[in-house]
Amino acid sequence: MLDIYTYAKRVAIAALIVLLIVAGFYMLSQYGYFFLLVFAGILLAVLFCGMTDWIVRKVHMKRAIALAISVLFFFGLLFAAFWFVAPTVGEQFQQMRQTIPESLDRVQDWLSEQRWGEQLLSQIPEDPSSMLPEQEQILSQAGGAFSTTLGFLADLFIVIITALFFASDPALYTRGLAKLFPVRTRPRLMEVLTRCYHDLRMWLIGMLAAMAIIGISTAIGYSIIGLPMAFALALIAFLFAFVPNIGPWIAGIPAVLIGLLEGPDMALTVLLVYGGIQIVESWIITPIIFQKTVALPPALLLFFQVLLGLVQGGLGLLMAAPILAVLLVFIQELYVKDVLEAKPEDASASDVPESARATAKR
């Protein structure tokens, strides 16, 4: 009798997990952008809470004061970086807007010298102006860009406010979530939520460390080989490093195009330098960093990035890695440990109803 109850419990939990996954994908496809914004706020709240907890441990001050110091330090650091770096980087970005089209022209000239390149270029209209939109379309696109900018600022405001609410009293929201479940499962759920917070915090620490190493090493490498606009290109590499697997290689495209203006040798040198940095980061630095933090399976992460990118675009691609980290915690703790690896005697002692145990004894 006890084995029947244990088997039935596992089947019910597995069916519930499947239903939750299906419902999750449905909700993601319909209202995914909203949930991704909320998760972005949670991720920023995890960063604030990590900084706050560190200050409380070291200085022993009140949490509210420590949170205020953490938030002010975070935004102050961003403002200081923008204040000191923006003039140089902004000027280099203006140069990049002029040089990249020239580099594309050189690529077009090189393609015209190749047979397969001629066939490719034949698909492009001789009069590029025919591909430009009419004046009414230009005005419409300008209005769309303006509304997109306002939408981005509104989304950013929502993420920051959500993060401040969550970080101000995280126990309020975790206890509220736990109350939606039976009393006997609440301690285990709180334990899993704590594990999620720990893994997200460690993933953020590892990712920020890897981003800093890539940005600094890229700036140094580009400066040594004499590549123009090295700091702007290093900033691009730093930002795109937040998207594992895909982002770093996208960030290398502008550097190679700018290197083409200096000649094929410079483009090849840029490719070798940036590729070497990525290889060292992927095979040496990242394993060392994430060995003590959170390591995500690369193939699984790539598939998940493609999935969220197709469903929700850029924001889905940006949030794919931290979401996968949380999903792996839930699967490992609630399914692998509590279902697949659970001992039958433990399950019978805690989960089988008292009346069923009495019937079994008879």
Side-chain angles (χ1 to χ4, degrees), residues 140-355:
S140 176
Q141 291 176 1
F146 180 73
S147 61
T148 301
T149 303
L150 290 180
F152 171 77
L153 294 177
D155 293 343
L156 183 61
F157 178 77
I158 291 173
V159 169
I160 294 175
I161 295 299
T162 302
L164 293 177
F165 279 135
F166 281 139
S168 61
D169 191 4
L172 173 66
Y173 301 97
T174 54
R175 287 196 304 264
L177 179 62
K179 287 182 179 179
L180 299 176
F181 295 84
V183 176
R184 62 184 177 82
T185 61
R186 291 176 186 175
R188 177 58 175 157
L189 180 61
M190 293 296 294
E191 180 182 348
V192 174
L193 291 177
T194 302
R195 172 70 185 277
C196 289
Y197 163 73
H198 176 268
D199 281 13
L200 272 181
R201 180 169 58 88
M202 298 305 294
W203 180 86
L204 271 175
I205 293 174
M207 181 55 63
L208 291 175
M211 290 171 63
I213 293 174
I214 290 176
I216 294 174
S217 58
T218 302
I220 294 174
Y222 288 168
S223 299
I224 291 175
I225 64 176
L227 181 68
M229 294 159 279
F231 290 104
L233 295 170
L235 179 62
I236 293 175
F238 169 80
L239 295 176
F240 274 82
F242 188 80
V243 183
N245 295 332
I246 301 175
W249 297 106
I250 296 178
I253 296 176
V256 175
L257 290 176
I258 292 175
L260 283 173
L261 291 177
E262 304 294 320
D265 294 339
M266 176 60 76
L268 180 60
T269 303
V270 170
L271 187 61
L272 292 176
V273 169
Y274 188 74
I277 292 173
Q278 292 301 320
I279 291 174
V280 172
E281 188 271 337
S282 300
W283 291 93
I284 299 177
I285 298 175
T286 295
I288 294 176
I289 293 176
F290 286 96
Q291 183 180 9
K292 298 182 180 179
T293 56
V294 177
L296 300 177
L300 182 60
L301 175 59
L302 179 60
F303 295 151
F304 199 69
Q305 286 176 321
V306 173
L307 175 63
L308 287 188
L310 292 175
V311 174
Q312 289 299 327
L315 184 59
L317 187 64
L318 194 65
M319 293 289 106
I323 291 177
L324 180 61
V326 173
L327 288 178
L328 289 180
V329 171
F330 277 102
I331 294 173
Q332 176 68 24
E333 297 293 327
L334 297 181
Y335 182 64
V336 176
K337 289 185 178 180
D338 293 355
V339 178
L340 299 181
E341 298 178 356
K343 296 181 180 180
E345 58 269 18
D346 294 341
S348 63
S350 59
D351 297 329
V352 178
E354 190 67 31
S355 59

Side-chain angles (χ1 to χ4, degrees), residues 133-147:
E134 301 294 335
Q135 182 176 1
E136 293 80 4
Q137 295 179 351
I138 295 176
L139 294 176
S140 176
Q141 291 176 1
F146 180 73
S147 61

Side-chain angles (χ1 to χ4, degrees), residues 47-61 63 66 70 197 201:
L47 178 61
F48 290 157
C49 287
M51 298 169 63
T52 301
D53 294 339
W54 185 84
I55 295 175
V56 170
R57 287 196 307 268
K58 297 298 182 179
V59 186
H60 304 288
M61 63 173 55
R63 177 178 174 80
S70 301
Y197 163 73
R201 180 169 58 88

